[in-house]
Amino acid sequence: QNAIRKTYNLCTDRYITLDGIARVVSKALGKEASIVHYDHANAGLKKGEGFPMRTVHFICSCDKAKAELDWKPKHSVQEDVSEVIADYKAKQKDTGEVDLSVDQKILA
């Protein structure tokens, strides 16, 4: 009853940066992360082109769900990413071509 018509973030209660996410994903893939930071405003991208980078911190908090629903996270980002990647590979979704043209434009 407490959750009717309410919105809750069901997520980890550990904060992780975008760099941290890249490192977790690369570790799950058995690779080394190569992280390049760039200024989105000076990357020469057209509106709607490329990944929508944030210049401020973005935080999801599950505090409301914990307080109102007595909920607590049972997973970690590391475990979930490893599981998602294993499933992705099992379905052979990692064998297709990837369009890296925007990435190449950013790194040029």
Side-chain angles (χ1 to χ4, degrees), residues 43-89:
L45 301 177
K46 297 175 187 166
K47 185 175 181 173
E49 186 178 36
F51 187 76
M53 300 303 293
R54 297 177 185 267
T55 57
V56 297
H57 295 291
F58 177 78
I59 298 172
C60 290
S61 170
C62 60
D63 289 346
K64 181 179 171 185
K66 289 163 79 174
E68 294 182 12
L69 304 175
D70 195 30
W71 178 86
K72 64 180 181 178
K74 296 179 182 177
H75 302 263
S76 73
V77 171
Q78 292 83 355
E79 293 166 337
D80 289 347
V81 166
S82 293
E83 185 178 316
V84 167
I85 288 174
D87 183 59
Y88 191 80
K89 287 182 172 183

Side-chain angles (χ1 to χ4, degrees), residues 18-43:
L18 289 174
D19 285 9
I21 292 170
R23 288 186 185 98
V24 167
V25 170
S26 67
K27 183 177 180 183
L29 289 167
K31 299 184 181 251
E32 183 75 26
S34 176
I35 299 170
V36 177
H37 296 114
Y38 72 97
D39 181 358
H40 187 74
N42 293 322

Side-chain angles (χ1 to χ4, degrees), residues 89-108:
K89 287 182 172 183
K91 293 177 180 173
Q92 298 181 335
K93 291 185 175 182
D94 61 331
T95 58
E97 291 295 318
V98 178
D99 179 6
L100 299 174
S101 59
V102 173
D103 301 71
Q104 292 164 349
K105 185 175 181 179
I106 290 168
L107 297 173

